[in-house]
Amino acid sequence: MMENDIGLWGVPLAVLGGAIRVSTPFIFVSLGEAITERSGRINLGLEGTLVFGAMAAYAVAVETGSPWLGVLAAMVAGSGFGLLHGWICSFPRVNDIAVGIALMLFGMGLAFFFGKPYIQPSAPNLPAIPLGDWSSIPQVRAALNVNALFVIGAALALFLWWAFKNTKLGLIVRVVGDSADSARAMGLSPTTVRLFATAAGSALAAVGGAYLSLYYPGSWNERISSGQGLMAVALVIFARWNPLGCFAAALLFGGAGALGPALQSVGVTQGYYLFYAAPYILTLVIMIATSSPGRQLAGAPGELSITK
């Protein structure tokens, strides 16, 4: 590939590499929220879970020297937040959305409090898989330097898509999410199913936080999330609660988020910063397009509060 060709492909390659990097936390948070919403519960507290997971992963990685132990710690912390959310929502006349907002603030506050000592120390990073080593072009190698969590997230999206259609557990979650009365008639406990679905979803959201602190950007600070936990809720609606759709939508959001840095990397010095707002604009457009009270959301669980 000639030098001019490299310049021509510079922006697409930068967007591709950036999309892979930026989309990974969206993948885990959206898949987690898809599990939770499929059971008939919405969790707006994932922003707090994401931030606390990032802090827990970074702190454990600093103390143990193992980034994978950090990811495990994030999952444990996230599942704890999910169990707390599910337990509170099991009481009569408790609003899912209000509890989620309260736990979002609670999680962020705890993360900021316990994370103060870990702002300066350096933690080991998660490993990357060099899928671009076959090329002699630095831009190609950089774009295809894929973190292991991205690969795990892609495999998880495929597994969840299959599991919702073909496994007993997936059917149970779907039945509870579509009709609590039908679930009770089958001898199922909607409260219990939603409790564990919320815990599983929060655990995955915390893995997204671990990626932020242990790989990209690869540090712990109090502004690490930038609203990705909240944007994931819009992403799940956009994906119509389909795990494969969540993966594709996460790549779309990631590409939108990578556009500004990609333009800057090739020398665009005016106006590129406007593209940093692309993910937020995309979120706003999606919420407007799906918020019509007279419009039926295809694939929406019948028990989900936003559909009532």
Side-chain angles (χ1 to χ4, degrees), residues 209-221:
Y211 173 87
L212 290 174
S213 61
L214 296 178
Y215 187 75
Y216 183 79
S219 63
W220 158 247
N221 63 77

Side-chain angles (χ1 to χ4, degrees), residues 22-264:
V22 177
S23 68
T24 302
F26 282 118
I27 291 171
F28 282 95
V29 181
S30 64
L31 290 177
E33 181 64 5
I35 294 173
T36 302
E37 292 190 15
R38 280 282 190 137
S39 73
R41 171 169 292 152
I42 187 169
N43 184 0
L44 293 184
L46 292 182
E47 180 76 6
T49 304
L50 183 79
V51 174
F52 192 84
M55 184 281 299
Y58 198 82
V60 171
V62 168
E63 297 294 340
T64 65
S66 170
W68 291 112
L69 285 178
V71 173
L72 180 61
M75 292 185 69
V76 172
S79 62
F81 272 91
L83 289 172
L84 178 61
H85 186 283
W87 176 69
I88 295 174
C89 289
S90 67
F91 292 101
R93 295 183 295 278
V94 172
N95 184 273
D96 289 1
I97 295 176
V99 172
I101 294 173
L103 287 180
M104 175 182 67
L105 299 175
F106 177 65
M108 294 174 70
L110 279 182
F112 298 164
F113 178 77
F114 288 110
K116 290 288 186 184
Y118 296 99
I119 293 178
Q120 293 298 327
S122 178
N125 285 343
L126 288 164
I129 303 172
L131 298 180
D133 276 0
W134 52 269
S135 175
S136 60
I137 303 170
Q139 290 90 336
V140 173
R141 291 201 301 270
L144 297 180
N145 198 39
V146 178
N147 183 263
L149 282 182
F150 176 83
V151 178
I152 294 172
L156 182 62
L158 183 62
F159 171 77
L160 288 176
W161 172 81
W162 174 83
F164 278 132
K165 292 177 177 291
N166 298 286
T167 66
K168 181 180 179 180
L169 188 58
L171 179 61
I172 288 173
V173 172
R174 289 168 54 201
V175 168
V176 169
D178 286 334
S179 174
D181 291 336
S182 298
R184 293 188 188 96
M186 296 172 61
L188 301 172
S189 170
T191 299
T192 302
V193 173
R194 288 172 184 160
L195 176 69
F196 287 106
T198 307
S202 296
L204 290 182
V207 173
Y211 173 87
L212 290 174
S213 61
L214 296 178
Y215 187 75
Y216 183 79
S219 63
W220 158 247
N221 63 77
E222 297 177 353
R223 295 176 296 277
I224 195 169
S225 173
S226 304
Q228 293 180 52
L230 290 173
M231 284 190 285
V233 177
L235 190 153
V236 172
I237 298 172
F238 177 61
R240 293 296 186 264
W241 296 270
N242 184 323
L244 290 182
C246 288
F247 179 78
L251 283 175
L252 176 63
F253 273 58
L259 191 55
L263 291 174
Q264 188 180 14

